[in-house]
Amino acid sequence: MTQTQLIALDWGTSSLRAYRLGPDGAVLEQRQLATGIMHLPPVSSADQAALGDKAGFEIALKQACGDWLMAAPEIPQIPIIACGMIGSMQGWSEAPYLPTPIAINQIGNTLTTVQTSDKLIIHIVPGLIQHSELPNVMRGEETQVIGALSIATERQRKSGKRQVDEVLIGLPGTHSKWIRVHQHSTVPTIQQFDTFMTGEVYAALCAHTILGRTMQAAISAPSDDDHAGNAAFLRGLDVAQTVAGRAGVLSTIFSTRTLGLTGVLDGTGQREYLSGLLIGHEIAVLRASLEQLIQRPQQIILIGDNALCARYKQALEVYEINDAAVMSQATERGLWMLAEHAGLVSANRS
Amino acid sequence: MTQTQLIALDWGTSSLRAYRLGPDGAVLEQRQLATGIMHLPPVSSADQAALGDKAGFEIALKQACGDWLMAAPEIPQIPIIACGMIGSMQGWSEAPYLPTPIAINQIGNTLTTVQTSDKLIIHIVPGLIQHSELPNVMRGEETQVIGALSIATERQRKSGKRQVDEVLIGLPGTHSKWIRVHQHSTVPTIQQFDTFMTGEVYAALCAHTILGRTMQAAISAPSDDDHAGNAAFLRGLDVAQTVAGRAGVLSTIFSTRTLGLTGVLDGTGQREYLSGLLIGHEIAVLRASLEQLIQRPQQIILIGDNALCARYKQALEVYEINDAAVMSQATERGLWMLAEHAGLVSANRS
């Protein structure tokens, strides 16, 4: 077994992803468990007595990577790093938010540690907070941003291209984040970010309002063999850039129902249309805010579920934001980079 | 018992309101039942055999006003009129939508009838449809509009005031409607209307997204003994007219959570803030659309739940739309007026 350099955890609300990383952060092994912080394994009274009120986290950790730790019983131990909701108030130990703008190496310098009953140390990545009129927070996405920047830099170096000054990173999902990064100086700076609850609002509208009653079928990525569905998705995308779209989300979503009533959209079409409608409203706002920037992003990166990234790429093109690149494995790379910044692993990437 | 002139039903999705109306449309008696079209009484197999597949409606009708009908077994029968979802595809008999703009007396001239097994005739009011880029529909609200216009005209006549040319009628609720009426000619015309799913979105966000997790207590009307709650509501109302508000509903709603995380709003405050935020976004759109009209409304009427109308009145004032009058009993008056237009009752109101 190649020697483990770092155990990296992406520990969110509903799932726990564990990575065994080797030299240079190569992924040697990875696992996904359902033991997110809101779904920890059951704790017996004996465990509770032995491990205390954080027993559930400790048991989940051992389930996820106890064998990796056992296989490498070195002194000092293999470092463990974790990002995501594990550092929230409801997590194992709160890693306080750091304020933006922030140089990315400062994040790795400010990890919070927690110790297990058998003296294992887990280093927890802090989230970021933006103290604007309407405050904004992230937890986990900062790690993806750091990973994406590292992968992009490596690609540019390999291709001989010059590094761009301004990057926009989009993370579509339950809560979409759009993050602007400055790379003017040696260390990139996370400058500003926005959150859109698009995914969660979409799910709530489909499952818990009148709009869902006449919908059918699961949502899928646009593909060639689903022309009608994609046409409905595109129709929805377009709304936010029309005069009718100025009425805003609270009003336009009702057209999901009325286009059904008037026979324009069938059940599947209504679902696709609503997806396009919400994503379109999100991207319309994004485009308007980009237009006000003096320094526009020269590079746009999308990170997330492939099918969802494909939808967002299509939406960006409708709103004339082109050349977005979909990137994967940002989280595991980000955790490795943070461990480097923290001095937990040696930075010998060539 | 004063002689019944009309039995008027406001038959929606979740409830059935029945009115016994006397001469001049005076309300002699009224009842509210939980037998909306989605909650009809159980049907036995004997009833099913005797009454057919619409048995549930017939049983609900008899439960609601069988005694009123029995007490007045005249020939011809007392006319029965009904508005609301009873005329939808899922209702007793579909009353097809009429297109806007429409003169209000045309609505009463186009009632759909359905007959019970014992030959009672129910006259069903059609809904309205607006064939715009994003189609819009209403069912039930047209009756409230007709009632409100009748009450307003009567008040103006009594006070000696001149009737205004342009009226805006707001019906806040699960789906808020804003309806513009022209009164230039003898018969008022329903010109244009908008729908906002504000109430339903608010309920879905509170009950089925992360925003609800840290909220407490039931929503209440703003009152003097709830300064903190009202301050949070006002804070939310204000957002849509700030620079931050331009990010739109999908983005601004996330601040409900972050203002909680940063200790600015407690649980109750978060609930009030979100209510203000959504209503504010609705009113901001409304104001923008009013600013584009050549002929602005000279009269604004709000119809609906008193506490909710108070919230909307406050919101309108924040957005500099003043002098909205809250009006009640619009539905029963509207059903009477429609019956008059249809010739079901005699128009001898003085």
Side-chain angles (χ1 to χ4, degrees), chain B residues 146-163:
Chain B
I146 292 170
L149 293 172
S150 167
I151 294 170
T153 303
E154 191 177 83
R155 284 185 192 167
Q156 278 148 356
R157 200 184 305 143
K158 282 184 183 163
S159 67
K161 281 189 191 153
R162 194 182 149 274
Q163 179 173 282

Side-chain angles (χ1 to χ4, degrees), chain A residues 135 195 197 200 210 250-251 258, chain B residues 135 195 197 200 210 250-251 258:
Chain A
T195 303
M197 288 182 58
E200 194 170 14
I210 196 169
L250 292 173
S251 178
T258 58
Chain B
T195 303
M197 287 181 60
E200 194 169 13
I210 197 171
L250 292 173
S251 178
T258 57

Side-chain angles (χ1 to χ4, degrees), chain A residues 169-178 199 279 282 301-305 308-310 312-313:
Chain A
I169 302 178
L171 300 125
T174 307
H175 296 177
S176 293
K177 302 276 183 192
W178 288 96
I279 294 174
E282 175 183 336
I301 298 170
L302 284 174
I303 307 171
D305 171 76
L308 192 59
C309 282
Y312 270 75
K313 202 167 149 55

Side-chain angles (χ1 to χ4, degrees), chain A residues 63-123:
Chain A
Q63 286 178 356
C65 50
D67 56 338
W68 295 346
L69 290 161
M70 291 281 281
E74 292 88 357
I75 304 293
Q77 68 154 118
I78 294 170
I80 306 172
I81 190 168
C83 71
M85 291 304 278
I86 190 68
S88 70
M89 220 181 295
Q90 295 77 38
W92 198 336
S93 181
E94 191 177 359
Y97 292 112
L98 300 178
T100 57
I102 188 167
I104 62 165
N105 59 354
Q106 271 189 268
I107 301 172
N109 294 340
T110 324
L111 305 185
T112 295
T113 56
V114 65
Q115 210 170 1
T116 64
S117 55
D118 53 352
K119 310 289 180 200
L120 289 172
I121 292 168
I122 296 97
H123 300 265

Side-chain angles (χ1 to χ4, degrees), chain A:
Chain A
M1 168 156 132
T2 310
Q3 196 171 344
T4 308
Q5 300 291 317
L6 179 70
I7 290 175
L9 308 174
D10 173 13
W11 204 334
T13 303
S14 52
S15 73
L16 163 58
R17 286 189 179 80
Y19 302 90
R20 187 165 74 82
L21 304 182
D24 288 347
V27 177
L28 304 176
E29 213 171 329
Q30 69 182 72
R31 290 165 185 174
Q32 181 170 350
L33 294 96
T35 47
I37 69 159
M38 292 300 174
H39 304 92
L40 294 174
V43 176
S44 68
S45 50
D47 286 336
Q48 180 87 47
L51 307 173
D53 63 346
K54 298 291 185 178
F57 294 102
E58 203 159 316
I59 296 168
L61 175 72
K62 294 295 164 64
Q63 286 178 356
C65 50
D67 56 338
W68 295 346
L69 290 161
M70 291 281 281
E74 292 88 357
I75 304 293
Q77 68 154 118
I78 294 170
I80 306 172
I81 190 168
C83 71
M85 291 304 278
I86 190 68
S88 70
M89 220 181 295
Q90 295 77 38
W92 198 336
S93 181
E94 191 177 359
Y97 292 112
L98 300 178
T100 57
I102 188 167
I104 62 165
N105 59 354
Q106 271 189 268
I107 301 172
N109 294 340
T110 324
L111 305 185
T112 295
T113 56
V114 65
Q115 210 170 1
T116 64
S117 55
D118 53 352
K119 310 289 180 200
L120 289 172
I121 292 168
I122 296 97
H123 300 265
I124 301 178
V125 180
L128 301 183
I129 188 162
Q130 182 170 276
H131 288 293
S132 38
E133 187 189 338
L134 305 184
N136 223 324
V137 293
M138 65 167 79
R139 216 177 249 295
E141 291 92 348
E142 71 296 323
T143 302
Q144 292 176 285
V145 167
I146 292 169
L149 293 172
S150 168
I151 294 169
T153 302
E154 190 176 86
R155 284 187 192 165
Q156 278 149 355
R157 202 185 304 145
K158 283 183 183 159
S159 68
K161 281 190 192 153
R162 195 181 148 275
Q163 177 172 286
V164 301
D165 281 348
E166 300 284 330
V167 186
L168 176 68
I169 302 178
L171 300 125
T174 307
H175 296 177
S176 293
K177 302 276 183 192
W178 288 96
I179 297 145
R180 286 199 294 115
V181 178
H182 287 202
Q183 298 195 113
H184 307 257
S185 52
T186 13
V187 181
T189 302
I190 294 178
Q191 199 63 22
Q192 189 272 338
F193 65 99
D194 292 303
T195 303
F196 295 83
M197 288 182 58
T198 311
E200 194 170 14
V201 168
Y202 175 71
L205 292 177
C206 290
H208 302 289
T209 72
I210 196 169
L211 302 183
R213 287 203 205 140
T214 46
M215 288 179 178
Q216 293 153 6
I219 196 157
S220 61
S223 71
D224 286 346
D225 53 291
D226 181 21
H227 287 299
N230 198 230
F233 175 70
L234 281 168
R235 184 186 190 114
L237 278 185
D238 194 51
V239 170
Q241 62 184 341
T242 66
V243 172
R246 288 188 207 145
V249 169
L250 292 173
S251 178
T252 58
I253 53 173
F254 189 60
S255 63
T256 311
R257 176 167 170 77
T258 58
L259 289 169
L261 284 172
T262 52
V264 176
L265 296 177
D266 64 7
T268 308
Q270 289 168 50
R271 187 178 282 274
E272 295 289 323
Y273 173 78
L274 182 61
S275 168
L277 194 62
L278 295 184
I279 294 174
H281 275 292
E282 175 183 336
I283 303 300
V285 167
L286 183 76
R287 189 183 60 176
S289 73
L290 291 181
E291 276 167 6
Q292 293 179 359
L293 290 181
I294 299 157
Q295 294 182 304
R296 311 263 173 92
Q298 297 118 358
Q299 187 179 15
I300 298 173
I301 298 170
L302 284 174
I303 307 171
D305 171 76
N306 279 338
L308 192 59
C309 282
R311 281 179 180 257
Y312 270 75
K313 202 167 149 55
Q314 201 170 7
L316 288 166
E317 282 159 11
V318 166
Y319 285 81
E320 291 162 355
I321 303 174
N322 298 307
D323 302 324
V326 178
M327 193 179 276
S328 55
Q329 300 185 304
T331 309
E332 45 270 47
R333 173 66 72 91
L335 285 164
W336 176 265
M337 295 308 296
L338 283 160
E340 270 192 18
H341 298 160
L344 299 174
V345 295
S346 53
N348 56 355
R349 177 174 299 277
S350 51

